Amino acid sequence: MKDKTPALSFYTPAPGRGITAPFITALVPAGFASPAQDFMECRISLDETLCRNSETTFFIRVSGNSMVNAGIDDGDILVVDRSLEPADGKIAICLIDGDFTVKRLKTETGCVYLMPENPDYPALKVTEYNQFSVWGIVTYLIKKV
């Protein structure tokens, strides 16, 4: 089964907009109520928190389910940094033969594989016959719960 992304939605951070949300610094126990309002100390900007370098960071919405075992589901938003170096084991946005895909990079001597995180999808070996580039490394995952 070939993992083709029919359409991707790219987004870029909007630096300097000054939109912040309250940031609660207390740890939240899973199971008991916490008076979180008492611990509200500052505000947080998700652009500033998730984007180490706003000039090289973009957001992209996932289409498909080839990465579900990595916790990446259809409709999730990935934060991607183009300034980071691709490396073995990193999850990357790649452009291969004109199609975008998100996969885990696997490198071996002289060879690169794009590894899905779903057993229903095959690994893709990148060869000299492919037009291939890594657009960026995934740094954060934003999902609806």
Side-chain angles (χ1 to χ4, degrees):
M1 180 181 300
K2 188 173 180 188
D3 181 26
K4 284 233 174 208
T5 305
L8 293 175
S9 301
F10 287 86
Y11 308 91
T12 57
R17 288 183 49 186
I19 299 171
T20 61
F23 182 53
I24 299 167
T25 59
L27 299 176
V28 178
F32 297 100
S34 171
Q37 188 71 24
D38 296 340
F39 296 97
M40 201 173 301
E41 296 178 11
C42 58
R43 297 186 69 79
I44 187 170
S45 163
L46 292 181
D47 277 353
E48 290 176 13
T49 302
L50 301 180
C51 303
R52 183 169 40 168
N53 184 348
S54 64
E55 298 296 317
T56 61
T57 301
F58 64 93
F59 301 92
I60 188 167
R61 188 176 302 276
V62 175
S63 174
N65 61 1
S66 70
M67 296 297 288
V68 294
N69 290 345
I72 301 173
D73 298 309
D74 185 62
D76 288 350
I77 296 174
L78 304 176
V79 181
V80 182
D81 190 336
R82 293 194 75 175
S83 70
L84 300 177
E85 290 291 321
D88 185 59
K90 295 288 186 181
I91 295 176
I93 301 297
C94 303
L95 182 63
I96 184 161
D97 298 331
D99 292 321
F100 283 100
T101 189
V102 57
K103 297 288 182 282
R104 189 173 301 278
L105 300 174
K106 180 179 178 184
T107 58
E108 294 179 356
T109 304
C111 196
V112 174
Y113 293 91
L114 303 181
M115 304 298 295
E117 296 275 344
N118 181 334
D120 294 338
Y121 292 83
L124 179 59
K125 181 179 181 179
V126 179
T127 71
E128 66 273 9
Y129 302 109
N130 297 114
Q131 290 183 326
F132 173 73
S133 64
V134 174
W135 267 50
I137 301 300
V138 175
T139 56
Y140 289 94
L141 166 67
I142 302 170
K143 62 171 49 243
K144 186 176 181 178
V145 293

